[in-house]
Amino acid sequence: MKKMRILLALVLGVCAIQAVHGHRFAPSLLKVIETAPQQYNMVWKTPAQGVSNVPLEPVWPEACEAVSASPPQLEDTGVVTSWQLQCLMLGEEGLVGETLGVSGLGASQASAIVMVSLLDGRQYQQVLSAERPEFVVPAESTAGDVAGNYTRLGMEHIWTGFDHLMFVFGLLLLVGGGSRLFWTITAFTLGHSITLSLVTLGYLDYPVAWVEFAIALSIFALAVELTRMGKHDVLWRHPWWLAGGFGILHGMGFAGALAETGLPQDNVPLALLFFNIGIEVGQLAFILVVWAVWFVIRKPLAPWQDKLFPIPVYILGSLSAMWCIERGLMALLS
């Protein structure tokens, strides 16, 4: 158990620098809404803090002309710009068969989402990447496209959501491995699956800022528990109660990310299912990576295990305390 904590300390330290900046999964979003025949409203939202000198920019058909544009505005963690497009040179099908895209994805190693809503009710959604920076608007979407896109979105969210990963990290510290790990992660999965579904389907509403604060507080509470952990402690013997209860909070955070992305209205249950599957795949991949690194370095670090023992708990506690202060102030001001 102690050896595993040594490994977790190193992995946690690597993640800590990036974790300071928060957790939200924030791909760029290109939303195109048909407002009248050959008339479109285009909204472009991209993270305010870029990772490359090459800007991300939307690309639309040459037959479309931007007749008006709004100045960029800061909204949460992104910058939003909108245009009114006039596409008089397109045929009766409008954007169907035409190409939309985002330039600069390769240099930024980023992803973007294209959402298209047509007057007749058809809606399409596609994840763009460096390998696939363009999207041809189809006559109709397929279940396979929805499943693949939302699985990838779920995986991206959990891998860029450092606070969620830190909670999973803390659970690893608490339970180690074996059947205890299985039941604890299962409880966390059930907890966040319930609230993710309820919020996404509109059965539950919540104050976003306070839930973000509560998520940070759950990580801090887990770190405190780790400082006094013993085999006679109730939470050590039954960690799945803690994992399931706090999973309910984290599910609301997942739902917030999904709300920013949006859902295809003709395939909401399917998109929700595969977004959740993507989260689970990403979560399990993270656990497997941690275990693989531990297997490699456990013997070389054995002589220093006593000195390195408290490091992961201190890092986890410090990060979560910082998030509590930051998000608590934001919740009070909201």
Side-chain angles (χ1 to χ4, degrees):
M1 184 67 177
K2 286 186 178 181
K3 292 180 180 179
M4 181 180 178
R5 288 178 185 167
I6 295 171
L7 159 76
L8 298 180
L10 297 180
V11 178
L12 186 56
V14 171
C15 295
I17 297 175
Q18 292 173 296
V20 168
H21 299 290
H23 88 287
R24 279 294 182 98
F25 158 77
S28 297
L29 173 63
L30 177 61
K31 181 180 286 189
V32 182
I33 302 173
E34 187 178 17
T35 57
Q38 300 178 322
Q39 305 290 327
Y40 298 89
N41 179 36
M42 175 177 285
V43 179
W44 170 243
K45 182 177 181 180
T46 191
Q49 185 175 6
V51 296
S52 169
N53 293 327
V54 179
L56 298 178
E57 296 181 347
V59 178
W60 55 78
E62 294 183 359
C64 297
E65 178 185 3
V67 295
S68 64
S70 68
Q73 296 182 346
L74 188 63
E75 182 179 303
D76 297 327
T77 59
V79 177
V80 179
T81 308
S82 62
W83 296 268
Q84 296 298 321
L85 297 183
Q86 193 172 65
C87 304
L88 300 179
M89 301 301 294
L90 296 180
E92 292 183 0
E93 289 295 319
L95 285 178
V96 173
E98 298 294 330
T99 300
L100 299 169
V102 175
S103 65
L105 291 175
S108 301
Q109 289 299 301
S111 62
I113 300 167
V114 175
M115 300 176 63
V116 180
S117 297
L118 303 181
L119 277 176
D120 59 10
R122 285 178 292 174
Q123 298 194 29
Y124 308 105
Q125 193 153 322
Q126 178 67 47
V127 178
L128 303 183
S129 62
E131 295 76 25
R132 188 178 182 179
E134 296 180 338
F135 169 57
V136 177
V137 180
E140 59 182 23
S141 59
T142 66
D145 290 337
V146 173
N149 287 334
Y150 279 87
T151 299
R152 176 176 177 176
L153 288 174
M155 293 174 64
E156 286 188 0
H157 174 61
I158 192 66
W159 274 93
T160 56
F162 290 104
D163 53 354
H164 298 304
L165 287 182
M166 292 305 96
F167 187 79
V168 174
F169 211 104
L171 292 178
L172 285 172
L173 287 171
L174 181 66
V175 302
S179 62
R180 285 166 48 79
L181 176 62
F182 172 80
W183 289 114
T184 301
I185 294 299
T186 298
F188 181 60
T189 296
L190 289 175
H192 71 64
S193 296
I194 290 170
T195 45
L196 172 60
S197 301
L198 290 176
V199 172
T200 302
L201 296 175
Y203 294 110
L204 179 66
D205 196 10
Y206 64 96
V208 176
W210 284 109
V211 166
E212 293 297 323
F213 168 73
I215 289 173
L217 190 61
S218 73
I219 304 170
F220 183 75
L222 180 56
V224 171
E225 176 62 25
L226 288 168
T227 64
R228 60 185 185 85
M229 186 179 67
K231 291 190 176 181
H232 299 292
D233 185 85
V234 174
L235 287 179
W236 189 90
R237 287 185 283 115
H238 305 289
W240 33 87
W241 296 111
L242 177 144
F246 285 148
I248 291 174
L249 287 174
H250 287 252
M252 295 182 187
F254 295 149
L258 188 55
E260 289 184 359
T261 303
L263 288 166
Q265 294 307 303
D266 57 342
N267 270 313
V268 170
L270 189 67
L272 177 59
L273 171 64
F274 279 92
F275 183 78
N276 203 40
I277 288 174
I279 289 174
E280 300 317 312
V281 171
Q283 183 175 276
L284 292 174
F286 173 73
I287 293 172
L288 290 175
V289 168
V290 170
W291 276 99
V293 177
W294 171 70
F295 182 79
V296 171
I297 69 173
R298 57 180 178 172
K299 289 184 179 179
L301 292 182
W304 299 281
Q305 63 181 17
D306 291 334
K307 292 183 179 179
L308 294 175
F309 176 83
I311 291 177
V313 178
Y314 292 156
I315 295 177
L316 194 66
S318 299
L319 285 174
S320 57
M322 179 194 65
W323 286 330
C324 284
I325 294 171
E326 179 186 54
R327 296 179 187 182
L329 291 174
M330 292 179 63
L332 289 171
L333 295 174
S334 63

